[in-house]
Amino acid sequence: MLNLERLRTLDALARHGSVSGAAEGLHVTTSAVSQQMSKLEREVGQRLLAKNGRGVRLTDAGRLLAEHAGRILSQVELAQSDLEAQRGRVVGELRMAAFPTAARGLFPAALAALRADHPALRVRSSELEPETGVAGVARGDLDLAVALDWYNKPMPVPGGLVKAPLLDDPAEVAMPAGHPLAGRDEVDLGEFADDEWITWGEGEFCHEWLMYTLRSQGIEPIVGHRAGETHTQLGLVAAGLGVCIAPLLGRHPMPAGVVTVPLKQRVRRHVYVLWREDADRRPSIRAAVQALRGAARAVVQ
């Protein structure tokens, strides 16, 4: 009879494409992954892995069994969800992630509420870029993630996921207090054609959004500095090193010497939480969404 944990290991290998990736996703060592696969090969009497340079690849038998493993694990998730729903108790473990400003702006209040209301629930949280969090939920490495769309550029979401809105997060331009536009009631992106921008890391969703948005306004961005965290960006603005986009969520406290001015374009981020369809009935998922919505209401009040 096939062992469920070994099937889970095979499924992780198929999804991550490497032993190290599977080990990271399963929170085990690489040797544990190798041992589980060796045992699974003995159980089925066929080779499931073959060497591929310094790594490994799935054999035809491995790919075939991995397809079945994915369906089996999805059914197990559904069964667990139904059992949890029947008990109606918020128990077990919940793995959550959020992009940096949401982790700072929403997680403290939401996780504290979960601990107070549901002490039998063990929550593990992490700070991840939105695209990484979405991929983690799709792969099954995470139960729930807080992600975002920009008003003019949605983030692609894989099939099989459910999402619920949390808040609309207005964003302004942050600039040094001595900037010529600092006293304005509102500004246009086109007025920053000659400014240096402080932006996110190359390839990150928010950085790509900023480049797309500025170029759509006929501006070829001058990127002076990169920082993944809003407060690092604002610190660079305070030093007079450029301007940046400053969403409301996670912005405060504002460093001295920095002014924010609304944009005529009314730039907003749509912040939402997502999870897998097959976990939709889990009381722990519903409790976490409720806690996150409560934290979001406090932000926008």
Side-chain angles (χ1 to χ4, degrees):
M1 193 166 179
L2 294 172
N3 179 280
L4 189 61
E5 286 308 308
R6 289 166 200 156
L7 289 178
R8 199 181 303 280
T9 301
L10 177 62
D11 178 67
L13 266 170
R15 289 185 285 104
H16 289 277
S18 69
V19 172
S20 59
E24 184 177 350
L26 294 169
H27 305 287
V28 299
T29 64
T30 54
S31 62
V33 170
S34 299
Q35 289 170 15
Q36 290 281 55
M37 289 305 302
S38 295
K39 291 177 181 177
L40 185 58
E41 286 183 329
R42 288 197 295 271
E43 284 180 352
V44 300
Q46 295 189 63
R47 289 186 62 194
L48 303 175
L49 296 179
K51 288 186 178 180
N52 184 30
R54 294 185 177 181
V56 295
R57 61 174 176 81
L58 293 179
T59 64
D60 289 344
R63 287 195 296 272
L64 177 63
L65 186 55
E67 290 176 5
H68 284 290
R71 290 192 290 270
I72 290 166
L73 293 170
S74 180
Q75 285 300 119
V76 170
E77 182 75 45
L78 282 169
Q80 291 173 336
S81 296
D82 285 345
L83 285 171
E84 282 190 31
Q86 188 181 50
R87 288 196 306 263
R89 296 179 58 215
V90 180
V91 297
E93 182 177 271
L94 193 69
R95 301 159 298 171
M96 301 172 58
F99 59 92
T101 49
R104 186 174 68 248
L106 298 178
F107 268 11
L111 298 184
L114 282 173
R115 175 172 288 185
D117 295 340
H118 308 288
L121 179 67
R122 299 185 305 276
V123 179
R124 293 196 303 179
S125 70
S126 55
E127 184 179 283
L128 296 173
E129 291 301 323
E131 58 269 46
T132 306
V134 170
V137 174
R139 288 195 306 263
D141 298 338
L142 296 167
D143 297 304
L144 179 150
V146 179
L148 62 90
D149 292 331
W150 286 94
Y151 75 107
N152 59 342
K153 190 176 178 66
M155 174 176 289
V157 174
L161 301 185
V162 178
K163 70 178 187 179
L166 293 177
L167 74 154
D168 277 354
D169 186 23
E172 302 179 346
V173 177
M175 63 195 79
H179 193 283
L181 302 177
R184 295 270 294 276
D185 291 332
E186 61 180 14
V187 290
D188 190 282
L189 277 173
E191 297 179 88
F192 296 93
D194 297 325
D195 283 270
E196 283 193 65
W197 283 91
I198 299 162
T199 181
W200 296 267
E202 183 73 37
E204 291 183 11
F205 177 66
C206 289
H207 169 78
E208 296 303 319
W209 163 79
L210 181 60
M211 299 300 100
Y212 166 81
T213 302
L214 291 172
R215 286 168 180 154
S216 71
Q217 297 289 316
I219 302 170
E220 183 54 39
I222 305 168
V223 177
H225 305 278
R226 301 178 186 276
E229 234 292 338
T230 298
H231 267 262
T232 305
Q233 294 184 9
L234 292 172
L236 294 169
V237 172
L241 298 173
V243 300
C244 76
I245 295 293
L248 175 63
L249 184 63
R251 179 197 304 175
H252 299 292
M254 186 70 68
V258 177
V259 172
T260 61
V261 180
L263 281 157
K264 291 178 182 177
Q265 287 84 358
R266 295 296 182 263
V267 172
R268 289 181 176 271
R269 302 189 301 184
H270 307 300
V271 181
Y272 55 88
V273 56
L274 51 79
W275 60 93
R276 295 186 305 281
E277 285 180 353
D278 54 19
D280 192 45
R281 295 186 64 192
R282 287 177 59 185
S284 56
I285 294 286
R286 296 177 181 274
V289 172
Q290 182 179 0
L292 285 165
R293 282 177 164 163
R297 284 194 296 270
V299 169
V300 298
Q301 285 176 353

